Amino acid sequence: KWIKQFSINDTTTLNKMYSREVNNINELRKFVGTVNDTFAVTTKGYYKAGDGGGSQFYWNDTSTHVDDGGKYIKPSSVSGAGRWVASFPNNFVSLLQFGARAQFTGYFGNEGQDNRQILSNAITALTEMTVFIYKYRIGTIYIPGNEKGYYMSDSIVITQAIRLIGDGPNLTNVVFPAD
């Protein structure tokens, strides 16, 4: 369903802007924007509507970035340039917007989804777009609380000024394998 909106820019001319909502990232990958209009697409979730992984995307017809599952989404039918690019207001990203799942269920070989690459992709996205404050890049990655832990198969080194925040002790759990 398309919603037609009109906005007035600095020169007081009207620009067409269409916005659309889709349920998840897989639905977004089925849709291709065009160069003639400005499209904004909002995902209601990452895997399903309401799962906390929703984002707003804009079409960039010249982008050839690799689909990282969060900032850059390549439509299935595109073989060359053209990507959906996420907007992260205030340089704030939820790990859920990159597809993280808290599925750690125990120490018996059932770690669930490995979220290490997802965290790495979120860090890369922030370092590409964040602003400099006192010569440091500043960005925030939010890891929501969950009764299960976010499993990471290995440690990760953060070399930029990126804050990792959660909901507090015993609420947000990140699980690494024992050495």
Side-chain angles (χ1 to χ4, degrees), residues 18-87:
Y18 295 92
S19 64
R20 182 176 185 169
E21 287 186 336
V22 296
N23 287 316
N24 56 46
I25 292 294
N26 283 335
E27 285 186 20
L28 180 64
R29 285 192 174 107
K30 295 176 185 173
F31 180 70
V32 177
T34 70
V35 296
N36 297 326
D37 292 304
T38 304
F39 290 97
V41 177
T42 301
T43 55
K44 295 179 185 178
Y46 193 88
Y47 296 103
K48 64 180 182 176
D51 67 9
S55 295
Q56 186 168 31
F57 292 87
Y58 297 92
W59 180 251
N60 181 326
D61 64 317
T62 61
S63 174
T64 57
H65 283 89
V66 172
D67 186 330
D68 65 3
K71 182 177 179 185
Y72 301 105
I73 303 298
K74 178 183 169 291
S76 317
S77 62
V78 171
S79 59
R83 302 290 185 269
W84 290 108
V85 181
S87 169

Side-chain angles (χ1 to χ4, degrees), residues 123-140:
I123 291 167
T124 299
L126 281 179
T127 58
E128 288 178 355
M129 63 182 266
T130 56
V131 294
F132 285 95
I133 299 176
Y134 300 111
K135 79 177 181 179
Y136 297 103
R137 293 180 191 265
I138 301 294
T140 302

Side-chain angles (χ1 to χ4, degrees), residues 33 35 73 93 119 148:
V35 296
I73 303 298
V93 173
L119 177 57
K148 298 177 181 180

